[in-house]
Amino acid sequence: MITKKQIQGLPAYAPGKPIEDVKREFNLTNVVKMASNENPYGASPKVAEAITAAATETAVYPDGYGTQLRHALAEKHSVSEKQIILGNGSDEVIQFLCRSYLTAETNTIMATPSFSQYKLNATIEGTTTIEVPVRADGSHDLDAMLHQVNEQTRIIWVCNPNNPNGVAIDKETFFSFLKAVPDHCLVVSDEAYFEYVEDDAYPDTISLLDQFPQLVILRTFSKAYGLAGLRIGYGITSETIAQAVDPVRPPFNNNVIGHAAALAALKDEAFIQSCRQKNREEREKIRAFFEERGMFVYPSETNFLLIETGIPGNKLFQAFLEKGFILRSGEALGYPTGIRISIGSAVENKAFLEVAPSVFDSLSNEMR
Ligand SMILES: *Cc1c(COP(=O)(O)O)cnc(C)c1O
């Protein structure tokens, strides 16, 4: 058996540790997962109703075109349904784009640290990924990224706000960048945390689609909508690009339950609004704790915070794990002494802030 060379030795995605494993390992009854940026408030109650109603429809294949969801999304965003790419999570849309545009002869450009799936999928296509370090404030260095563009560049990834640091790019910066990108190169604006963003300076990328047909916007139901377990994400782009990638999409890449849930979730804007508000209040409590301890917390427009603690990320991860909190070590995310914390519910964050001082005190003593 000879696997293709680009996947030999390629590490598989390392997910956040499952709650049940941690309970067993450390003999804990209560474990809080603050690692994968999921919505701690779950999903709109309308979602469970819709899933129950769809529960008897499992014997037939889903609508491969996703007609209803497409219509709902097209209406919500005032675009044509032909501009939508439905994916099994936006991860799958990233995969479609890589399969459709990248080859061994091309290259792709991303920021680092940023979301790992861009490079992974590019690597599988045999493509060179050019990684451009973020600036000291955590923002994409779009000028430096632009500088790397050549004839062979096919996709530039802009993760906005950026995972893992939560930092967003403002509209002026993004707009002048877009104007400077040559036509042969796609610009992907990954907006997985769009629903959490509150900064007025954040770009309204959908309004730019008419002017920039090479722009692809990624959104997902996995974060604020609370449907990570059902795998629905989508791209919004020009009809040309949506049509171009359609042949690589598996015929039934979303399922009946996911379609029903996403449709119901879209109808409950009040739920999203309330999650956004609670997230902000809770995030600022966590931020305050770390800033009071003199640690640098990246400005975040998302439901997670990246903190520079000065302590090796894996060490901190382990210490909190033993207390029943699953965080994300910065070590695998490009921040060796950082820790990424997904904002929990008020109860979860309170519990976290109760144990956090002693964890930090003992680790700082140990390091002295
Ligand atoms: C979570 C996340 C995604 C993937 O979400 P899906 O669950 O696949 O829709 C994409 N991009 C970023 C930056 C993310 O953080």
Side-chain angles (χ1 to χ4, degrees), residues 29-102:
T29 47
N30 212 4
V31 170
V32 182
K33 189 176 173 210
M34 300 166 90
S36 301
N37 307 339
E38 293 130 330
N39 187 338
Y41 308 102
S44 157
K46 292 189 168 54
V47 166
E49 284 170 34
I51 290 176
T52 309
T56 53
E57 291 169 30
T58 58
V60 286
Y61 280 102
D63 170 6
Y65 187 65
T67 311
Q68 281 185 294
L69 181 56
R70 229 172 238 279
H71 281 168
L73 289 171
E75 192 175 339
K76 178 181 172 67
H77 298 303
S78 305
V79 296
S80 153
E81 64 179 54
K82 292 187 185 141
Q83 290 178 262
I84 305 233
I85 306 167
L86 288 177
N88 197 260
S90 49
D91 273 346
E92 198 188 32
V93 183
I94 295 169
Q95 190 187 328
F96 295 164
L97 293 168
C98 291
R99 286 198 76 176
S100 305
Y101 289 91
L102 302 182

Side-chain angles (χ1 to χ4, degrees), residues 89-91 115 118 159 163 190 192-193 220 222-223 231-233:
S90 49
D91 273 346
F115 193 53
Y118 315 141
C159 190
N163 182 1
D190 185 347
Y193 301 93
T220 181
S222 298
K223 305 288 158 62
R231 316 303 304 125
I232 308 262

